[in-house]
Amino acid sequence: MSVSDSVSDIGPDYPVIPQPLRFYDGGVDGAPGEPAIFGSMAQIVLVRCTDGGREQFRMRRRIAYKDRQLGELLVPRETSTFLSDLTSVPALFTWLVPKTGKHLPATLLHDGLIHPLDDTTYTSTRGEIVLRVEADRVLRDAMGDAGTKLIRRWLIWSAVTMATMLDGRGTNWSKVQTWWYRVAVVLTLGVVATLGFWTFLDLIDVARIPNLPWMGDRPWFYELAGGLSGAVVIPLALALLWGPFRIAGAIVGVSIAVLLYVTVALLFITALYQGLEWVMAWMPKKVALVLTGAGTLVVLLVFAAALFMPAPYGR
């Protein structure tokens, strides 16, 4: 069955109704090659590469996707030069958005649409030029067709939209637009992070720190409620600076505000882990074992003291 054949079970549904048949096998490029076959099952065949110490993957076969607006999209353009890190997510956030899962076909499709980096425009099978903003929209719709849950796909779309606003390549924006979007993103992240730390200091009543108006000097549960409301209202207001991408701005801003303390805790734990790994790799094995035993003994003594030490008089 060719891609131009009539298909009665696929329509231009909005909001997106999952239609996994929009993904199909894209064949193999080069000579002799294999054509894309609409109706066939999409095959993701990856080869792991570690050139330069960074883990990336090559695709042995292409992925085809029938977009609601652009028709057939066939990626990558050249399998021989294409490399992907799968879903580009910082290690700290893989608990929220894993690098692989139901969204993988869509993220590989998106990588193919904006690759290579020196040419971030893609031409579809029927000759439509796909700018980077449109590629981001395709990612969101394709994740829906692949079965990705609503919140996760909007989180991923918002993150890649923010990256597009900061990068600006392949968008056809003017210099003024590009810098406006960059300033909007940086200002949003800066204000949300600053107010997030200020909220924490206000909550624990650090001296000489002015109270935030929406928290005040109240019992802790009132302050906590005020802080949470501010973590929603302030990012929503800042999102207006993102113009047509204000939905992405709202999602990014609120997510960062709500997850700020979790992120800081994960950063601390990750830094501690990396430090221990470095020490263990550098230190002689016998010394490492002695220090590990000593540390364990100290922890046991502290635990025993806390468990059996009598409470202070009058408590």
Side-chain angles (χ1 to χ4, degrees):
M1 185 188 300
S2 69
V3 72
S4 59
D5 288 339
S6 173
V7 227
S8 59
D9 57 344
I10 288 183
D13 300 282
Y14 284 95
V16 172
I17 296 173
Q19 297 177 345
L21 289 177
R22 288 186 177 275
F23 283 100
Y24 51 99
D25 185 33
V28 179
D29 61 333
E34 296 178 23
I37 304 176
F38 184 76
S40 60
M41 183 174 293
Q43 300 183 49
I44 298 178
V45 183
L46 302 173
V47 177
R48 182 172 178 266
C49 306
T50 54
D51 297 338
R54 182 186 178 190
E55 185 182 53
Q56 292 184 301
F57 296 86
R58 294 190 185 276
M59 291 177 63
R60 285 287 182 86
R61 302 186 68 84
R62 295 188 293 182
I63 294 177
Y65 176 73
K66 186 174 175 62
D67 182 65
R68 291 164 176 78
Q69 300 178 30
L70 303 170
E72 184 185 63
L73 302 173
L74 194 58
V75 300
R77 305 177 204 187
E78 296 181 6
T79 53
S80 60
T81 60
F82 177 78
L83 286 171
S84 172
D85 61 354
L86 306 183
T87 307
S88 302
V89 182
L92 285 176
F93 296 106
T94 51
W95 62 273
L96 183 63
V97 179
K99 295 187 76 67
T100 186
K102 289 184 177 180
H103 54 280
L104 181 59
T107 55
L108 288 173
L109 171 67
H110 183 261
D111 275 0
L113 292 176
I114 64 173
H115 180 89
L117 292 178
D118 58 352
D119 179 13
T120 48
T121 57
Y122 169 93
T123 304
S124 69
T125 302
R126 69 186 190 195
E128 303 248 15
I129 294 178
V130 183
L131 298 176
R132 188 160 174 178
V133 173
E134 189 71 1
D136 296 344
R137 191 274 307 163
V138 170
L139 167 66
R140 189 184 66 217
D141 289 355
M143 283 190 292
D145 287 322
T148 307
K149 298 298 184 182
L150 180 68
I151 294 176
R152 177 168 289 174
R153 69 174 181 256
W154 279 85
L155 280 172
I156 295 175
W157 170 76
S158 299
V160 298
T161 296
M162 181 178 68
T164 297
M165 292 172 69
L166 289 171
D167 189 296
R169 287 180 294 176
T171 58
N172 276 357
W173 293 336
S174 66
K175 287 187 177 180
V176 173
Q177 282 180 298
T178 301
W179 280 104
W180 174 269
Y181 291 140
R182 287 172 178 167
V183 169
V185 171
V186 172
L187 181 64
T188 298
L189 298 180
V191 170
V192 169
T194 301
L195 289 179
F197 284 110
W198 194 345
T199 298
F200 174 72
L201 296 177
D202 193 347
L203 187 62
I204 62 175
D205 295 324
V206 174
R208 299 180 183 178
I209 297 295
N211 294 320
L212 289 168
W214 51 89
M215 294 181 66
D217 188 10
R218 304 183 180 98
W220 69 268
F221 43 89
Y222 285 112
E223 291 190 5
L224 181 62
L228 288 174
S229 64
V232 175
V233 174
I234 302 300
L236 290 179
L238 291 169
L240 297 176
L241 298 173
W242 293 42
F245 308 110
R246 54 189 172 275
I247 294 178
I251 293 173
V252 168
V254 172
S255 299
I256 291 177
V258 172
L259 297 175
L260 181 63
Y261 306 129
V262 176
T263 304
V264 171
L266 288 173
L267 276 172
F268 173 77
I269 294 171
T270 301
L272 180 63
Y273 162 73
Q274 295 291 352
L276 289 173
E277 286 281 21
W278 180 82
V279 169
M280 289 301 183
W282 166 80
M283 189 177 293
K285 185 176 180 180
K286 290 184 178 180
V287 176
L289 289 173
V290 169
L291 289 179
T292 301
T296 303
L297 179 60
V298 168
V299 170
L300 288 172
L301 290 173
V302 170
F303 178 77
L307 186 63
F308 297 109
M309 184 180 294
Y313 179 76
R315 290 189 60 184

PDB file of all heavy atoms in Angstrom, residues 178-199:
ATOM      1  N   THR A 178      13.955  36.874  17.664  1.00  0.00           N
ATOM      2  CA  THR A 178      14.838  35.881  18.288  1.00  0.00           C
ATOM      3  C   THR A 178      15.300  36.347  19.659  1.00  0.00           C
ATOM      4  O   THR A 178      15.243  35.594  20.644  1.00  0.00           O
ATOM      5  CB  THR A 178      16.046  35.605  17.381  1.00  0.00           C
ATOM      6  OG1 THR A 178      15.586  35.130  16.105  1.00  0.00           O
ATOM      7  CG2 THR A 178      16.958  34.560  17.999  1.00  0.00           C
ATOM      8  N   TRP A 179      15.743  37.603  19.749  1.00  0.00           N
ATOM      9  CA  TRP A 179      16.243  38.095  21.025  1.00  0.00           C
ATOM     10  C   TRP A 179      15.121  38.328  22.021  1.00  0.00           C
ATOM     11  O   TRP A 179      15.308  38.160  23.234  1.00  0.00           O
ATOM     12  CB  TRP A 179      17.077  39.364  20.813  1.00  0.00           C
ATOM     13  CG  TRP A 179      18.462  39.015  20.364  1.00  0.00           C
ATOM     14  CD1 TRP A 179      18.988  39.114  19.116  1.00  0.00           C
ATOM     15  CD2 TRP A 179      19.486  38.455  21.183  1.00  0.00           C
ATOM     16  NE1 TRP A 179      20.285  38.652  19.087  1.00  0.00           N
ATOM     17  CE2 TRP A 179      20.616  38.246  20.346  1.00  0.00           C
ATOM     18  CE3 TRP A 179      19.577  38.108  22.535  1.00  0.00           C
ATOM     19  CZ2 TRP A 179      21.812  37.706  20.823  1.00  0.00           C
ATOM     20  CZ3 TRP A 179      20.774  37.570  23.005  1.00  0.00           C
ATOM     21  CH2 TRP A 179      21.863  37.377  22.156  1.00  0.00           C
ATOM     22  N   TRP A 180      13.949  38.694  21.535  1.00  0.00           N
ATOM     23  CA  TRP A 180      12.810  38.830  22.441  1.00  0.00           C
ATOM     24  C   TRP A 180      12.500  37.503  23.116  1.00  0.00           C
ATOM     25  O   TRP A 180      12.301  37.440  24.336  1.00  0.00           O
ATOM     26  CB  TRP A 180      11.587  39.335  21.682  1.00  0.00           C
ATOM     27  CG  TRP A 180      10.347  39.364  22.544  1.00  0.00           C
ATOM     28  CD1 TRP A 180       9.425  38.370  22.696  1.00  0.00           C
ATOM     29  CD2 TRP A 180       9.924  40.425  23.408  1.00  0.00           C
ATOM     30  NE1 TRP A 180       8.445  38.733  23.583  1.00  0.00           N
ATOM     31  CE2 TRP A 180       8.728  39.987  24.055  1.00  0.00           C
ATOM     32  CE3 TRP A 180      10.439  41.687  23.706  1.00  0.00           C
ATOM     33  CZ2 TRP A 180       8.044  40.793  24.959  1.00  0.00           C
ATOM     34  CZ3 TRP A 180       9.744  42.485  24.619  1.00  0.00           C
ATOM     35  CH2 TRP A 180       8.577  42.037  25.228  1.00  0.00           C
ATOM     36  N   TYR A 181      12.461  36.438  22.316  1.00  0.00           N
ATOM     37  CA  TYR A 181      12.151  35.118  22.875  1.00  0.00           C
ATOM     38  C   TYR A 181      13.250  34.664  23.835  1.00  0.00           C
ATOM     39  O   TYR A 181      12.963  34.066  24.884  1.00  0.00           O
ATOM     40  CB  TYR A 181      11.962  34.100  21.762  1.00  0.00           C
ATOM     41  CG  TYR A 181      10.719  34.327  20.926  1.00  0.00           C
ATOM     42  CD1 TYR A 181      10.724  34.146  19.546  1.00  0.00           C
ATOM     43  CD2 TYR A 181       9.526  34.728  21.517  1.00  0.00           C
ATOM     44  CE1 TYR A 181       9.586  34.357  18.781  1.00  0.00           C
ATOM     45  CE2 TYR A 181       8.381  34.949  20.770  1.00  0.00           C
ATOM     46  CZ  TYR A 181       8.414  34.762  19.400  1.00  0.00           C
ATOM     47  OH  TYR A 181       7.290  34.969  18.649  1.00  0.00           O
ATOM     48  N   ARG A 182      14.497  34.925  23.487  1.00  0.00           N
ATOM     49  CA  ARG A 182      15.591  34.548  24.380  1.00  0.00           C
ATOM     50  C   ARG A 182      15.488  35.274  25.717  1.00  0.00           C
ATOM     51  O   ARG A 182      15.632  34.662  26.790  1.00  0.00           O
ATOM     52  CB  ARG A 182      16.937  34.858  23.723  1.00  0.00           C
ATOM     53  CG  ARG A 182      17.306  33.901  22.602  1.00  0.00           C
ATOM     54  CD  ARG A 182      18.546  34.367  21.872  1.00  0.00           C
ATOM     55  NE  ARG A 182      18.919  33.421  20.821  1.00  0.00           N
ATOM     56  CZ  ARG A 182      19.811  33.692  19.871  1.00  0.00           C
ATOM     57  NH1 ARG A 182      20.433  34.870  19.853  1.00  0.00           N
ATOM     58  NH2 ARG A 182      20.095  32.789  18.958  1.00  0.00           N
ATOM     59  N   VAL A 183      15.234  36.575  25.655  1.00  0.00           N
ATOM     60  CA  VAL A 183      15.112  37.355  26.893  1.00  0.00           C
ATOM     61  C   VAL A 183      13.914  36.863  27.713  1.00  0.00           C
ATOM     62  O   VAL A 183      13.997  36.752  28.947  1.00  0.00           O
ATOM     63  CB  VAL A 183      14.978  38.853  26.571  1.00  0.00           C
ATOM     64  CG1 VAL A 183      14.591  39.645  27.820  1.00  0.00           C
ATOM     65  CG2 VAL A 183      16.289  39.394  25.994  1.00  0.00           C
ATOM     66  N   ALA A 184      12.809  36.548  27.040  1.00  0.00           N
ATOM     67  CA  ALA A 184      11.616  36.066  27.745  1.00  0.00           C
ATOM     68  C   ALA A 184      11.906  34.774  28.494  1.00  0.00           C
ATOM     69  O   ALA A 184      11.496  34.608  29.653  1.00  0.00           O
ATOM     70  CB  ALA A 184      10.472  35.860  26.751  1.00  0.00           C
ATOM     71  N   VAL A 185      12.624  33.843  27.850  1.00  0.00           N
ATOM     72  CA  VAL A 185      12.946  32.569  28.491  1.00  0.00           C
ATOM     73  C   VAL A 185      13.879  32.785  29.681  1.00  0.00           C
ATOM     74  O   VAL A 185      13.634  32.286  30.791  1.00  0.00           O
ATOM     75  CB  VAL A 185      13.586  31.597  27.476  1.00  0.00           C
ATOM     76  CG1 VAL A 185      14.134  30.363  28.195  1.00  0.00           C
ATOM     77  CG2 VAL A 185      12.574  31.174  26.424  1.00  0.00           C
ATOM     78  N   VAL A 186      14.957  33.540  29.463  1.00  0.00           N
ATOM     79  CA  VAL A 186      15.945  33.761  30.531  1.00  0.00           C
ATOM     80  C   VAL A 186      15.305  34.501  31.703  1.00  0.00           C
ATOM     81  O   VAL A 186      15.546  34.170  32.874  1.00  0.00           O
ATOM     82  CB  VAL A 186      17.160  34.533  29.981  1.00  0.00           C
ATOM     83  CG1 VAL A 186      18.101  34.929  31.117  1.00  0.00           C
ATOM     84  CG2 VAL A 186      17.915  33.687  28.955  1.00  0.00           C
ATOM     85  N   LEU A 187      14.488  35.518  31.403  1.00  0.00           N
ATOM     86  CA  LEU A 187      13.823  36.270  32.466  1.00  0.00           C
ATOM     87  C   LEU A 187      12.884  35.371  33.265  1.00  0.00           C
ATOM     88  O   LEU A 187      12.864  35.410  34.505  1.00  0.00           O
ATOM     89  CB  LEU A 187      13.040  37.436  31.863  1.00  0.00           C
ATOM     90  CG  LEU A 187      12.306  38.342  32.858  1.00  0.00           C
ATOM     91  CD1 LEU A 187      13.305  39.052  33.768  1.00  0.00           C
ATOM     92  CD2 LEU A 187      11.436  39.363  32.126  1.00  0.00           C
ATOM     93  N   THR A 188      12.125  34.541  32.567  1.00  0.00           N
ATOM     94  CA  THR A 188      11.203  33.628  33.256  1.00  0.00           C
ATOM     95  C   THR A 188      11.952  32.677  34.184  1.00  0.00           C
ATOM     96  O   THR A 188      11.593  32.522  35.360  1.00  0.00           O
ATOM     97  CB  THR A 188      10.394  32.819  32.227  1.00  0.00           C
ATOM     98  OG1 THR A 188       9.604  33.703  31.432  1.00  0.00           O
ATOM     99  CG2 THR A 188       9.470  31.823  32.918  1.00  0.00           C
ATOM    100  N   LEU A 189      13.006  32.046  33.654  1.00  0.00           N
ATOM    101  CA  LEU A 189      13.771  31.097  34.471  1.00  0.00           C
ATOM    102  C   LEU A 189      14.422  31.795  35.668  1.00  0.00           C
ATOM    103  O   LEU A 189      14.420  31.273  36.784  1.00  0.00           O
ATOM    104  CB  LEU A 189      14.835  30.416  33.613  1.00  0.00           C
ATOM    105  CG  LEU A 189      14.329  29.571  32.437  1.00  0.00           C
ATOM    106  CD1 LEU A 189      15.504  28.957  31.681  1.00  0.00           C
ATOM    107  CD2 LEU A 189      13.388  28.484  32.914  1.00  0.00           C
ATOM    108  N   GLY A 190      14.970  33.004  35.422  1.00  0.00           N
ATOM    109  CA  GLY A 190      15.640  33.730  36.494  1.00  0.00           C
ATOM    110  C   GLY A 190      14.690  34.155  37.600  1.00  0.00           C
ATOM    111  O   GLY A 190      14.972  33.977  38.793  1.00  0.00           O
ATOM    112  N   VAL A 191      13.539  34.709  37.208  1.00  0.00           N
ATOM    113  CA  VAL A 191      12.573  35.175  38.198  1.00  0.00           C
ATOM    114  C   VAL A 191      11.999  33.994  38.993  1.00  0.00           C
ATOM    115  O   VAL A 191      11.885  34.054  40.223  1.00  0.00           O
ATOM    116  CB  VAL A 191      11.440  35.972  37.515  1.00  0.00           C
ATOM    117  CG1 VAL A 191      10.304  36.244  38.499  1.00  0.00           C
ATOM    118  CG2 VAL A 191      11.973  37.281  36.952  1.00  0.00           C
ATOM    119  N   VAL A 192      11.649  32.924  38.292  1.00  0.00           N
ATOM    120  CA  VAL A 192      11.065  31.756  38.975  1.00  0.00           C
ATOM    121  C   VAL A 192      12.065  31.154  39.959  1.00  0.00           C
ATOM    122  O   VAL A 192      11.708  30.817  41.099  1.00  0.00           O
ATOM    123  CB  VAL A 192      10.611  30.704  37.943  1.00  0.00           C
ATOM    124  CG1 VAL A 192      10.271  29.388  38.635  1.00  0.00           C
ATOM    125  CG2 VAL A 192       9.401  31.209  37.169  1.00  0.00           C
ATOM    126  N   ALA A 193      13.328  31.014  39.543  1.00  0.00           N
ATOM    127  CA  ALA A 193      14.344  30.445  40.444  1.00  0.00           C
ATOM    128  C   ALA A 193      14.586  31.352  41.641  1.00  0.00           C
ATOM    129  O   ALA A 193      14.662  30.886  42.791  1.00  0.00           O
ATOM    130  CB  ALA A 193      15.642  30.218  39.671  1.00  0.00           C
ATOM    131  N   THR A 194      14.692  32.657  41.406  1.00  0.00           N
ATOM    132  CA  THR A 194      14.937  33.604  42.497  1.00  0.00           C
ATOM    133  C   THR A 194      13.796  33.596  43.511  1.00  0.00           C
ATOM    134  O   THR A 194      14.014  33.511  44.727  1.00  0.00           O
ATOM    135  CB  THR A 194      15.121  35.022  41.934  1.00  0.00           C
ATOM    136  OG1 THR A 194      16.231  35.032  41.020  1.00  0.00           O
ATOM    137  CG2 THR A 194      15.377  36.018  43.046  1.00  0.00           C
ATOM    138  N   LEU A 195      12.565  33.681  42.995  1.00  0.00           N
ATOM    139  CA  LEU A 195      11.418  33.667  43.899  1.00  0.00           C
ATOM    140  C   LEU A 195      11.271  32.319  44.604  1.00  0.00           C
ATOM    141  O   LEU A 195      10.789  32.259  45.743  1.00  0.00           O
ATOM    142  CB  LEU A 195      10.140  33.996  43.124  1.00  0.00           C
ATOM    143  CG  LEU A 195      10.004  35.449  42.649  1.00  0.00           C
ATOM    144  CD1 LEU A 195       8.714  35.636  41.874  1.00  0.00           C
ATOM    145  CD2 LEU A 195      10.062  36.414  43.832  1.00  0.00           C
ATOM    146  N   GLY A 196      11.693  31.261  43.945  1.00  0.00           N
ATOM    147  CA  GLY A 196      11.630  29.948  44.576  1.00  0.00           C
ATOM    148  C   GLY A 196      12.521  29.870  45.806  1.00  0.00           C
ATOM    149  O   GLY A 196      12.096  29.383  46.871  1.00  0.00           O
ATOM    150  N   PHE A 197      13.775  30.361  45.689  1.00  0.00           N
ATOM    151  CA  PHE A 197      14.678  30.355  46.845  1.00  0.00           C
ATOM    152  C   PHE A 197      14.214  31.343  47.910  1.00  0.00           C
ATOM    153  O   PHE A 197      14.325  31.084  49.109  1.00  0.00           O
ATOM    154  CB  PHE A 197      16.099  30.679  46.397  1.00  0.00           C
ATOM    155  CG  PHE A 197      16.778  29.534  45.715  1.00  0.00           C
ATOM    156  CD1 PHE A 197      17.055  29.572  44.351  1.00  0.00           C
ATOM    157  CD2 PHE A 197      17.127  28.388  46.416  1.00  0.00           C
ATOM    158  CE1 PHE A 197      17.667  28.505  43.714  1.00  0.00           C
ATOM    159  CE2 PHE A 197      17.743  27.317  45.787  1.00  0.00           C
ATOM    160  CZ  PHE A 197      18.011  27.383  44.432  1.00  0.00           C
ATOM    161  N   TRP A 198      13.692  32.483  47.466  1.00  0.00           N
ATOM    162  CA  TRP A 198      13.166  33.474  48.409  1.00  0.00           C
ATOM    163  C   TRP A 198      11.997  32.882  49.202  1.00  0.00           C
ATOM    164  O   TRP A 198      11.872  33.077  50.409  1.00  0.00           O
ATOM    165  CB  TRP A 198      12.728  34.708  47.636  1.00  0.00           C
ATOM    166  CG  TRP A 198      12.470  35.926  48.478  1.00  0.00           C
ATOM    167  CD1 TRP A 198      12.317  35.981  49.830  1.00  0.00           C
ATOM    168  CD2 TRP A 198      12.342  37.268  48.001  1.00  0.00           C
ATOM    169  NE1 TRP A 198      12.079  37.270  50.241  1.00  0.00           N
ATOM    170  CE2 TRP A 198      12.104  38.082  49.143  1.00  0.00           C
ATOM    171  CE3 TRP A 198      12.393  37.855  46.750  1.00  0.00           C
ATOM    172  CZ2 TRP A 198      11.907  39.461  49.026  1.00  0.00           C
ATOM    173  CZ3 TRP A 198      12.200  39.226  46.644  1.00  0.00           C
ATOM    174  CH2 TRP A 198      11.965  40.014  47.768  1.00  0.00           C
ATOM    175  N   THR A 199      11.131  32.147  48.514  1.00  0.00           N
ATOM    176  CA  THR A 199      10.000  31.496  49.174  1.00  0.00           C
ATOM    177  C   THR A 199      10.477  30.536  50.256  1.00  0.00           C
ATOM    178  O   THR A 199       9.912  30.474  51.358  1.00  0.00           O
ATOM    179  CB  THR A 199       9.150  30.732  48.142  1.00  0.00           C
ATOM    180  OG1 THR A 199       8.616  31.663  47.187  1.00  0.00           O
ATOM    181  CG2 THR A 199       8.007  29.981  48.803  1.00  0.00           C
TER     182      THR A 199
END
